[in-house]
Amino acid sequence: MRVSALSPSNSAGGLTILLLLLDFITPAATVKHENFKTCSQSGFCRRNRAFADHALTPESNWVSPYEIKENTVLLQNGILSAEILKTVPGQTEKVVLPLNINFQKNGAVRVTIDELKRTKGDIVLRGESKARKERYNEAERWALIPDWDVRDDKVVYDNQKGQITLTFGPELKYKAIVTVYPFNIKFERDGETHVVLNDRGLMNVEHWRAQPAEPEEGKEKSPEDLDGGWDETFGGNTDTKPRGPEAVSMDISFPGYDHVFGIPSHATSLSLKTTRGGEGAYEEPYRLYNADVFEYIVDSPMTLYGSIPFMQAHRKGSSVGVLWLNAAETWVDVVKEKKTKTDTKTHWVSESGQLDVWVFLGPTPQTLYKAYGELTGFTKMPPSFAIAYHQCRWNYVSEDDVKDVDRKFDKHDIPYDVIWLDIEYTDGKRYFTFDPLTFKEPEKMMKNIDKAERKVVLIIDPHIKNTENYPVVEELKSKDLAVKDKSGDIYEGWCWPGSSHWIDAFNPAAIEWWKSLFKFDRFKGTAKNTYIWNDMNEPSVFNGPETTMPKDNLHFGNWEHRDLHNLNGMTFMNATHQALEARDVGKGKTQRSFVLTRAFFAGAQRLGAMWTGDNEAKWEHLQASLPMLLSQGIAGFPFSGADVGGFFGNPSKELLTRWYQSGIWYPFFRAHAHIDAKRREPYLTGEPYTSIIRDAIRLRYALLPAWYTAFHRASKDGMPIIRPNFVAHPDDEEGFAIDDQAYIGDTGLLVKPVVGEGVDKVDIHLADDEIYYDYWTHKIYQGKGKKEYSAPLEKIPLLMRGGHIIPRRDRPRRSSGLMKHDPFTLVLVLNKRGHAMGWLYHDDGESFDYKQGAYIHRQFMYNGSRKTLSSRDLHKDRAAAETYKKAASALQIEKIVIVGASNSLDTSALAEGRSKAKAILVEDDNGKVKEWHASLGYTAAVDKDHGDVLVIKNAKLKIGNDWTIYLEQVGAEDKPKDEL
Amino acid sequence: MKSILLLSLPLALADGSQKPIGDAWALPRGLNPALSDKYRPSSSQTFNCLTQPQISLPISLLNDDFCDCPDGSDEPGTSACAHISSSVNPLPGFFCQNQGHVPAYIPFNRINDGICDYETCCDGSDEWMGVGGIKCPNRCEEIGKEARKAAEERRKLYESGIRSYKKLVEKAVFVKKEVEDKIVAVTGEIKRYEGLVEEKKAGLKKAEDEEKLKVDKLAATGDEGKSRHQKLLDYSKDKLSDHQEKLSKLFDEAQRLKEELDKTEKILKTFKEEYNPNFNDEGVKRAVNSWEDYLAAKATEDTLTGDYLAEVTGLMYESHRWEEYEPEDDDIAQDMYAIEAFLPPFLRTMVHEQLSSLRTSLVEYGLLAPRKPKQSAKSTGTVPPHIQKLTDDLTSTESNLSQKKSELTNLQNDLTKDYGPQSVFRSLKDVCTEAASGEYTYSFCHLGRATQKNREGGSTHLGDWTGFDRRYDDEIEQEVTVIKYEKGLRCWNGPERSAYVYLRCSAEEKILSVAETEKCVYKYVATSPAACGDIAAEGQEGIVTGEAKRQVN
């Protein structure tokens, strides 16, 4: 007898328990979305998107309320100045916005719009705020090089019917057409419009206004009372906004352009997706607000650790770009309108600061990158070890641990240059100290690592532990060099050490102090082979809004954190960079710095390297890394890498191996792992993986001369170090969106890393009809389009494009430093017509002597018809060149490999023995002809689908000298006696 | 078709090769003299690549700092063929003669790289080119001397280690004998206890039968005129309503506790989702870990049948039509038992067990204050005292018996257990060694437990002894005995901790180093006489051959 009187509530209770249980078991391992704002949670983004929606609704009959006051227009010294008047509905008084259009000699144009009332300080701040009243106007101090302003004094002015036309630029090919009302600017080149500002009338400068009183019951809110314009709370933190709403926004159109690139860093495709509808569109705008995004997701416009607001628009025959020079939180919407041609239209919104846009009119990727670099600076020439392999882990826990890892790399004959120490080396997260138990004798450790010319990188973060008996924090406080909170007291937040203060590296005195901390007699235990890693510099504040600082914090000069947030990381990196370059490494000499940063902004390329932050040991993160790094190259900061192996989690052996095979193509090549991840140094992986990884790392080392040469070019003209298809082949329309393969500098090396599990073949896109040879087998791939390439685990899909010369060093040493006496190999990859060209840059790799001309810069050219290989000096200063040549006189070329020799020589005769060849040096320095001939080795092609190879052996040519070699074919009867 | 042609005149001889002097063939640089014959030039002044003798090269290409042979064998004295895999190159490396010490091979990629690799090449012959101005004077005399001194010390250490080892083995034999003796003794005791149990069972049965008779009599006499049935019925009514009332209270309590549990679980769920693993706060990590363990354990437990609530509710509110039981019916006593059976026995235990386990872990991590134990309700047994005594007596005898039985099993298992070579570890049972390393002090006890202690006095269980293994100790390049300690405290996001003690021979029990080689896997390197078995087995010869490699700090 069982009575059943089931009450519904009870049954639901039981079910709930079950559901909860299921819920618990699912591992939660993705980004904490709720920690970061969406556009609709960010007041100014929400408003300006709504503003755009309203303006773009046909029924609104929208007319942009901005007009140039014509009698204020003045062109002087390459700057057109005027006042823009903003009409505010319901107000007779117009808002005055000073406009400056600055024309640069290289054709770049800067459009700056400020707010008169703010420049005069004629506003009242809310609360008791001590913040500055001006719109932030110091971004250029950090982002641009000091002598950026090279004015174009030949601008031609014309004003007709409310249109001001300015003709400028090289050969007066560019035009800026300014429409007085409604205000907009069209930029033309060669009679075509390429960039339009305020094309759709979405420009919005939120002028200062006093906060309207709460409307009485039943009355409407004042139109000046903007949505989200005042106190704003997110995640328990309230932003007091002393200046109320102050966003600036502008729409920028690229008529006829189907692709836009840049605005890193986002884990997304290289060619930017649309964000306001359309196929595959993101829901959110691209966000630029440097943040410590834990376990970030891929394929997302979500913000990451660094921001470069530079965008390139590209189409066949033209590349143009814009730099949105604003360091406040910024959102960018992208739409594409398909008519006969596609127009890409973008909408930029920043929370505060001046409206400051730079326009670059190209016309090629090269000229665009050069103009951008002339403004923000070019990539710093790194010390040579920095482009070799870095071994990192959170953490190598003791000196013994470091010694053991070092020893095992040698034992397994895997080269590495740098071992890294994460936060655990410190004494209780006090930077500038070593743990007295685990790192008792750091000096000895540095010395031990230095034996094989290796380096140690130590982490130093911007949060300074707030604790007793710690001189660093005492000085930070007593010298008043820390970031302040909104009331002007020292700001306290939480990070690794617990309660901490933050150095305000915007303060010049803080930089000077920071420099003093790195002196060898101050930071005891460091040596000249110690370099620095700056992490958490977004800044990451564990208990702050969006894991960063409150926006109403105050920096040097009483600028609000809001105004300069995206610059913060870079200023800290700058202080460290300066500190390292100020260290006296003996005899009063200094050496090049190496600083790795997580947060960055435009211009950080002048200071060191970046990495893409805390990725995961997952295939999709491996896949995402190459597009992200290609994007860094577009935005002028190519010295970039992603954690090899993935930071979080444990990669499978296959994933780790494939990641190394990809990682050797990252300009910054470092393996790193989370403290909870298993050890995964390459020697632990076991065979065949360890050998495959060793081969991959050795390939990186063999190609270091080519990498260094690519870095040199980036440091001179801003060409990316690894280049996407559209940069290498700007007219290959099919290849514009390709971001899973890359060209390495000017070497013609084309790599397509395997980034999928179990994948054993890839399709490589060939952009032209040139011959491409497999790097390993010399198999020929030819013809535009996709080519299938077989890639079992041990093989890296790597092609050599005909027409290039690749410099290498083939002796696998323990570190790059130990390769410095080794001879070079030149690989000549002949093109269809038998020609090839390549470059080599070389210097001592550590000092600044190269600035005085102590370097070698050569151009190698093989003329297939004349069968001559010549080395030409590209050095600017012959006298200085001679001095260094002497120093480097022991450096030789030992081997010259000619791939596809049959494109130049009658190799069938060679193969059949009807003919022999010899290499004759016809001239070297000073035109003197020397008696010299080298032996040759010929390897015929295995079949018609492969290239043949001729090797000039033991050439012993001096790397720094001018010389020409002639390849002479002689008949069989001339056979020399010692022939084998 | 593949052909290799070597054309034209070779370049002048490089420094690396040495010309034949008269008839005597000077040994090429970097070559082991044992291989010199392979490089003796032919009459036409050529030599052959080692693994591809069909390739014949002019002797001038030997050690000319350019790699010609596909197997790299033309450059025994330079780094020119260093890119060729060691599986292809028949030469194991550059041969350092090291006169005054022991000759050794050094990998080709260490040749002329600007570093004096004295560890391998004490004669400095690896840097013969002097690149970048490096000079490596021959240091074999001093290095050789030091090495011989160290070897002598090691030899002494081994000898004393072996002496201790032999003593340990003798002791182990004695310890084993003790176990065997114990087995005999325990077997005897078991027999005795078995007899006692039988005896006491019989006594109890007899007493119970007598008591039953008494109770039946009492029931038959009745009380104050009420029929036996009526009394039972009244009793049952009272008892049942009492049960219902108590059940209802219990149910309420269960509901309340369930709500409390749900609330606590929700707190912990949010805690787990929202904490930042980036903080790497060990306390938080441990809490999350034990929460996950709790969930995993909960998920694997048999899920309760969903309708137990219904059953309980039914029991609580059921109204009984007692009049149906009024007629004379002797079965009523049985019914009472039947009613008892209606109570789902799992209810009480289930709720309490779950809550107490959760509470324990909450208290453990400081999330909840410990609760003061309540006075447990005294059981109201109606068993007469003399029977109770007999029962207790039997139970205790039975428990003694089973104790002895398990003791026997343990002793028998002990005999078959692996105590290492010659059962030497028997003599080290419970011998503990500890050493400080970084912020912790590490210890292990033979056949016991490995532990990590922090400065504040907290200790972490790294594992219990599970046996032995043979593993390669890459520092002394030798296979050694490893003591395994496993199933220690589980790591956050990781495995259960474990420790492996790599043993080297010495008379002293000492920990040399401890490192966390993998997450939550600890590698101890320690010395012990118990590790001297290998060397002892090899005798004096073992000591001598071991010298070159074995190192004891």
Side-chain angles (χ1 to χ4, degrees), chain A residues 257-289:
Chain A
Y257 288 83
D258 198 1
H259 290 274
V260 286
F261 306 94
I263 58 168
S265 178
H266 299 100
T268 182
S269 54
L270 178 67
S271 177
L272 299 176
K273 296 183 183 183
T274 59
T275 59
R276 304 226 71 185
E279 203 183 320
Y282 290 134
E283 304 250 315
E284 291 284 310
Y286 287 93
R287 187 183 189 205
L288 296 168
Y289 188 61

Side-chain angles (χ1 to χ4, degrees), chain A residues 509-770:
Chain A
I511 298 173
E512 286 312 308
W513 171 65
W514 198 246
K515 281 158 79 170
S516 74
L517 295 179
F518 286 86
K519 298 257 159 68
F520 295 125
D521 55 1
R522 178 82 202 258
F523 191 175
K524 294 270 170 56
T526 61
K528 65 176 197 165
N529 67 331
T530 312
Y531 294 86
I532 300 297
W533 169 19
N534 285 160
D535 195 1
M536 316 296 279
N537 53 340
E538 294 78 20
S540 176
V541 180
F542 292 160
N543 59 337
E546 301 195 85
T547 328
T548 189
M549 259 181 200
K551 284 175 171 169
D552 45 12
N553 267 10
L554 296 171
H555 287 261
F556 178 68
N558 279 338
W559 293 112
E560 269 199 295
H561 185 72
R562 162 189 348 271
D563 294 325
L564 43 72
H565 172 84
N566 284 344
L567 277 167
N568 183 83
M570 177 177 160
T571 59
F572 179 61
M573 179 195 196
N574 171 57
T576 308
H577 157 77
Q578 289 197 32
L580 291 189
E581 297 208 334
R583 295 187 306 184
D584 181 348
V585 295
K587 296 175 193 162
K589 285 198 95 176
T590 57
Q591 65 186 8
R592 291 178 226 175
S593 73
F594 171 73
V595 182
L596 177 73
T597 185
R598 194 168 72 182
F600 53 86
F601 191 69
Q605 66 270 16
R606 305 189 303 268
L607 309 171
M610 62 71 73
W611 94 108
T612 61
D614 299 345
N615 61 359
E616 292 184 63
K618 289 180 177 165
W619 288 94
E620 60 263 35
H621 274 264
L622 167 59
Q623 188 269 326
S625 61
L626 188 59
M628 289 175 80
L629 304 184
L630 289 172
S631 183
Q632 286 292 132
I634 300 307
F637 193 1
F639 195 6
S640 58
D643 284 346
V644 169
F647 180 62
F648 291 110
N650 296 306
S652 68
K653 291 181 176 195
E654 183 193 358
L655 174 56
L656 186 66
T657 305
R658 288 302 197 189
W659 213 318
Y660 271 98
Q661 290 178 336
S662 295
I664 64 166
W665 309 106
Y666 300 165
F668 172 61
F669 174 32
R670 181 185 75 153
H672 188 30
H674 188 268
I675 195 163
D676 289 326
K678 284 188 181 153
R679 294 255 169 166
R680 50 163 107 128
E681 287 66 36
Y683 50 78
L684 292 173
T685 322
E687 293 301 335
Y689 305 98
T690 295
S691 288
I692 296 171
I693 294 170
R694 179 194 298 113
D695 288 347
I697 299 176
R698 282 183 170 189
L699 178 60
R700 169 69 170 219
Y701 275 73
L703 290 170
L704 283 176
W707 282 97
Y708 202 58
T709 304
F711 268 82
H712 176 256
R713 178 146 190 222
S715 80
K716 287 291 164 195
D717 68 6
M719 272 303 271
I721 291 158
I722 54 172
R723 301 173 192 163
N725 192 83
F726 90 88
V727 173
H729 301 280
D731 290 338
D732 174 32
E733 287 179 297
E734 290 158 48
F736 286 170
I738 288 177
D739 57 10
D740 55 2
Q741 59 182 52
Y743 288 88
I744 311 306
D746 294 305
T747 60
L749 285 169
L750 169 59
V751 65
K752 169 136 187 185
V754 176
V755 294
E757 187 169 17
V759 170
D760 61 1
K761 57 177 187 284
V762 294
D763 283 332
I764 305 184
H765 172 82
L766 301 187
D768 58 15
D769 202 31
E770 191 46 79

Side-chain angles (χ1 to χ4, degrees), chain A residues 24 496 676 814 936 938, chain B residues 3 5 109 113 269 278 492:
Chain A
F24 290 149
W496 297 126
D676 289 326
R814 281 169 281 189
L936 301 178
Y938 179 69
Chain B
S3 68
L5 304 172
N109 65 353
D113 63 354
K269 182 175 179 271
N278 250 337
W492 181 80

